[in-house]
Amino acid sequence: MIVRTTAEITGTERDVADEGWRSKRIILGGDGVGFSFHETTIEAGTTHVFHYQNHVEAVWLVEGEGTLTDLDNDVTYPLGPGSMYLLNGHEKHRLETRTRMRMLCVFNPPVTGQEVHDENGVYPLVAS
């Protein structure tokens, strides 16, 4: 059984931040459950382009508003609290926030540590 709080993750190697976003890695690949589970916050008024070529990601938006654009198909979706989106085709996507967003994210296969993206959208994982 694994029991953790986000408070105990804050300030550790599981607390990953970059310009405009922060992700608390609650469950990682090393936890041995076959997926990773993160709480991610994205600051208001920011735009981020993501491409998880090697992962399926499910996201549930807990708070905040913005839009999600599927850059492969040029389709934009409004997002608000209670929205869920699934990136099961490894879609390159743009997330634009109007207000600060907090989301719960599940990755399969699991993330093993801090994420690094290259320009080709490949998602290499740095083992923790």
Side-chain angles (χ1 to χ4, degrees), residues 13-85:
E13 70 280 352
R14 288 177 179 255
D15 187 6
V16 181
D18 201 353
E19 191 172 321
W21 63 266
R22 173 181 224 144
S23 185
K24 294 187 180 186
R25 300 350 187 163
I26 299 163
I27 300 293
L28 287 172
D31 293 316
V33 296
F35 64 91
S36 59
F37 179 67
H38 313 164
E39 178 191 53
T40 300
T41 54
I42 303 180
E43 296 306 315
T46 61
T47 299
H48 303 273
V49 174
F50 299 106
H51 185 197
Y52 303 122
Q53 184 172 335
N54 299 318
H55 295 272
V56 171
E57 181 189 18
V59 176
W60 180 37
L61 185 61
V62 177
E63 57 188 57
E65 294 181 343
T67 58
L68 173 73
T69 302
D70 175 344
L71 296 174
D72 294 332
N73 299 303
D74 196 31
V75 178
T76 298
Y77 304 92
L79 297 176
S83 298
M84 190 287 300
Y85 61 90

Side-chain angles (χ1 to χ4, degrees), residues 85-123:
Y85 61 90
L86 176 66
L87 302 165
N88 60 349
H90 314 294
E91 297 88 354
K92 186 174 186 179
H93 58 287
R94 180 177 60 238
L95 189 61
E96 297 177 82
T97 61
R98 281 192 293 281
T99 61
R100 181 178 175 269
M101 289 184 169
R102 185 170 66 93
M103 53 191 61
L104 304 176
C105 310
V106 175
F107 286 86
N108 184 18
V111 174
T112 61
Q114 295 187 3
E115 61 187 331
V116 178
H117 302 278
D118 72 16
E119 65 279 0
N120 296 319
V122 177
Y123 192 165

